[in-house]
Amino acid sequence: MSAATPWWRGAVVYQVYIRSFCDGDGDGQGDFAGLISKLDYIAGLGVDAIWLSPIHPSPNRDWGYDVSDYENVHPDYGTLADFDALLEAGHARGLKVLVDEVLCHTSDEHAWFADSMYKGPKADWYVWADPNPDGTAPNNWLSAFGGPAWSYHPVRRQHYHHKFLRQQPKLNWRNPEAKATALEVLDFWLRRGADGFRLDVANAYLHDPALANNLPVEPEKRTAAIWSHAANLQYHFHDSNLPENVACLDEIRRTVERYAGRFVFGEFSEGFERSGAYAAPDEGLHAAYTFSMLLADRLSPDFVKDNYALLEPHPRHWPCVSFSNHDIVRAVTRFGGGRDGDPALAKLLLTLLFSIKGTVLLYQGEELGLPEVDLRRDQLKDPTGDLYYPLFKGRDGCRTPMPWDADAPNLGFTTGQPWLPFGPAHRALAVSEQEDDTASVLNHAKRLLSARKQSAALRWGGIEFVAAPAPVLAFVRAHEDERVLCVFNMSREAVQFRDGALSRAVAMTLGCGDAATKDGVLKLAPLSAWFGRL
């Protein structure tokens, strides 16, 4: 890597869902003190940075993604001094600290919204519109969390727009003062020492000022995934995903780049081509992730190859890659491992994640191979859990507390009552059960991360797919004079792979499962991976 290559290119970022990570004061909620106590564990994994779920005060209608004060921290987590201590402790261990910022909308309890509601100086800081004569919403926009994306307020005798919950009014980025103040939020935390940001719904800063109706998805194009949620039945071309959104991303990146060595990446859940998801690092954000691989649930070469096919027309874009996060069913369960855990599948998924091109986003607990937790309706805290229950149970199943110690009360997460229950399978997968087992998923993850740091090809290289019959996935990662052939059996049956490159490849001590070459043939046991240096 040249001196000009930024630290984040090819880095591994560990996502911490603070409320579920570690509780330092016994109230059942994770906090800064608990996180500080586990920084040695995180650093010991071999990651480069941590990404914190939203840290700001919030009524918790959407568990922190409804911000009521951008210049403070949630009292459940601690104080600003505690956050400063976290920064200092993280930096002392060589970890960058990234903050999750939600700048598309606020809580309806934010002082800005109160001012806007009563038509004060911030009257135009949110998106307001008159109702139709019959009192219905101004147009057909649908909320991602169900129902119309508008709510009527009698104080203004108007509707306000919200892409998510009605308690999350949309900021009007077309108002210059509102936009400038949102950018000042970034300045506030950068001055404090944060190393950058993950931006929530980075595709949705702008709305169509004409409030044109969204067009319906054509009936013949309505797949099961589209029918799974009412909001999917329309193209979100006017409430979000505008091409002009890229200009907002560029302003955000330039704001961040005024501070040396900082990094900003965004979440793009829809409108990838239109909204700037694939922009180059000097045109939009430094990097981005989409839901292309996050929503995949069939273990096959296609979910990886299809993602990079989408990226191919954008050669200067640098992606973030991830299989799981706080919004998505855990990878082991999603790809067929059930709710009891599947170490072989967990190892294959981690091996794949750490070997594809991009900056890796690793969600807490994935390094343990944690499966999704099946919660009862009365245990759910996520507002989306009620929307289509029991077909979909919301996002709490991936947000349950980290299991630290199998023999401790509440698995070492807290001395009090945890805010969400543990999964029955998580005790056997606790850190205490895996850290001394050389064959564990946890130690496999550590070995992979160590090898990735030592390999320029795996960290910074391009990716070139090699022709291979399904269920084999094969590609070469290359950087300067280093080339690594990576081959995966994406099935539960033994397979063989033949390629001329195998004759000159030197097997590496990576991979997983049983895989070995003999007489120019690579034999792969179920859920196995093999690496060879070319």
Side-chain angles (χ1 to χ4, degrees):
M1 181 181 73
S2 72
T5 304
W7 68 265
W8 48 264
R9 196 174 180 93
V12 177
V13 178
Y14 186 80
Q15 183 190 355
V16 174
Y17 193 82
I18 302 174
R19 196 170 295 276
S20 292
F21 196 66
C22 186
D23 174 19
D25 61 8
D27 67 354
Q29 318 275 342
D31 49 38
F32 295 140
L35 173 53
I36 290 171
S37 75
K38 300 298 183 182
L39 285 178
D40 285 340
Y41 167 82
I42 296 174
L45 294 173
V47 302
D48 303 283
I50 57 176
W51 147 27
L52 306 177
S53 57
I55 62 174
H56 304 308
S58 165
N60 288 337
R61 298 284 190 170
D62 190 23
W63 296 101
Y65 287 92
D66 49 328
V67 176
S68 57
D69 179 357
Y70 284 107
E71 295 189 354
N72 214 325
V73 298
H74 201 298
D76 286 352
Y77 302 152
T79 65
L80 279 171
D82 295 327
F83 175 77
D84 292 341
L86 170 61
L87 282 178
E88 183 179 359
H91 291 163
R93 290 163 174 80
L95 295 170
K96 307 287 187 181
V97 180
L98 311 174
V99 176
D100 205 324
E101 281 301 347
V102 190
L103 299 179
C104 284
H105 54 256
T106 72
S107 165
D108 62 351
E109 297 185 26
H110 199 292
W112 299 347
F113 186 68
D115 182 282
S116 183
M117 185 170 57
Y118 286 99
K119 295 190 176 181
K122 298 177 177 62
D124 193 38
W125 280 33
Y126 293 83
V127 182
W128 294 92
D130 293 332
N132 287 318
D134 62 358
T136 55
N139 60 24
N140 73 343
W141 297 353
L142 292 176
S143 162
F145 284 1
W150 296 92
S151 287
Y152 178 75
H153 206 297
V155 169
R156 278 188 61 143
R157 299 180 180 179
Q158 287 184 305
H159 283 73
Y160 63 88
H161 173 44
H162 51 87
K163 189 169 175 64
F164 299 95
L165 295 176
R166 67 173 182 83
Q167 296 91 350
Q168 294 171 296
K170 173 76 173 64
L171 268 176
N172 182 11
W173 271 64
R174 293 191 178 279
N175 178 289
E177 291 182 358
K179 180 179 71 171
T181 305
L183 293 173
E184 286 171 7
V185 170
L186 303 178
D187 273 316
F188 178 88
W189 294 99
L190 291 166
R191 287 194 302 269
R192 203 162 195 104
D195 296 291
F197 306 96
R198 176 265 189 187
L199 300 176
D200 192 52
V201 284
N203 55 293
Y205 290 108
L206 296 180
H207 67 287
D208 175 7
L211 305 184
N213 282 331
N214 283 328
L215 296 174
V217 175
E218 299 84 349
E220 64 273 16
K221 294 182 179 179
R222 295 183 177 184
T223 63
I226 288 175
W227 278 111
S228 69
H229 185 30
N232 295 345
L233 298 176
Q234 61 182 219
Y235 292 107
H236 292 273
F237 289 168
H238 295 289
D239 58 332
S240 54
N241 308 312
L242 276 67
E244 307 97 283
N245 190 70
V246 181
C248 296
L249 305 179
D250 185 75
E251 283 193 78
I252 289 171
R253 190 200 77 256
R254 289 175 186 273
T255 299
V256 172
E257 285 184 340
R258 291 205 296 263
Y259 301 79
R262 311 301 170 91
F263 173 46
V264 58
F265 69 98
E267 171 202 42
F268 292 80
S269 58
E270 58 190 18
F272 306 152
E273 291 279 356
R274 291 168 54 88
S275 63
Y278 302 140
D282 60 347
E283 296 172 344
L285 303 179
H286 290 131
Y289 72 90
T290 71
F291 279 51
S292 176
M293 293 191 294
L294 287 167
L295 295 179
D297 59 5
R298 182 172 176 269
L299 189 66
S300 78
D302 289 344
F303 91 91
V304 178
K305 294 169 73 173
D306 289 350
N307 180 66
Y308 287 94
L310 293 171
L311 298 179
E312 195 169 342
H314 311 278
R316 294 182 59 235
H317 169 67
W318 183 261
C320 291
V321 291
S322 183
F323 298 161
S324 295
N325 65 30
H326 62 290
D327 286 331
I328 302 297
V329 172
R330 284 197 177 271
V332 164
T333 298
R334 210 170 72 246
F335 284 106
R339 298 186 184 272
D340 294 325
D342 185 336
L345 176 59
K347 289 179 180 179
L348 178 75
L349 291 171
L350 288 169
T351 306
L352 178 59
L353 179 63
F354 295 151
S355 62
I356 55 179
K357 175 186 175 181
T359 292
V360 174
L361 309 177
L362 177 66
Y363 183 48
Q364 67 182 47
E366 292 297 292
E367 77 278 12
L368 303 175
L370 296 185
E372 185 83 354
V373 179
D374 190 13
L375 299 173
R376 302 188 311 268
R377 191 168 194 170
D378 62 290
Q379 295 173 318
L380 301 181
K381 302 293 179 67
D382 179 15
T384 69
D386 273 335
L387 189 56
Y388 299 121
Y389 187 94
L391 183 61
F392 303 114
K393 298 183 178 181
R395 301 164 293 179
D396 290 321
C398 67
R399 298 178 176 184
T400 56
M402 275 282 286
W404 293 104
D405 187 345
D407 296 324
N410 295 316
L411 303 190
F413 165 71
T414 180
T415 56
Q417 181 66 28
W419 81 290
L420 283 174
F422 291 93
H426 287 195
R427 184 177 300 276
L429 298 172
V431 173
S432 64
E433 302 301 288
Q434 297 200 42
E435 56 189 353
D436 294 327
D437 177 2
T438 57
S440 69
V441 176
L442 174 60
N443 281 307
H444 179 68
K446 290 180 179 180
R447 287 191 293 271
L448 289 168
L449 287 169
S450 176
R452 180 184 170 93
K453 280 196 169 180
Q454 301 304 312
S455 169
L458 294 179
R459 195 168 173 92
W460 307 303
I463 185 168
E464 179 184 341
F465 290 94
V466 176
V472 174
L473 171 67
F475 53 82
V476 173
R477 297 294 311 281
H479 181 77
E480 295 180 348
D481 58 353
E482 183 186 8
R483 293 173 57 83
V484 178
L485 174 64
C486 313
V487 186
F488 301 80
N489 178 5
M490 308 282 280
S491 78
R492 296 181 182 274
E493 304 291 334
V495 297
Q496 295 185 358
F497 173 65
R498 292 175 171 82
D499 189 88
L502 290 171
S503 61
R504 64 180 187 276
V506 178
M508 302 169 66
T509 56
L510 288 174
C512 61
D514 253 342
T517 57
K518 185 176 181 181
D519 300 326
V521 177
L522 175 59
K523 295 184 177 181
L524 296 145
L527 303 177
S528 63
W530 180 91
F531 289 64
R533 196 176 300 280
L534 299 178

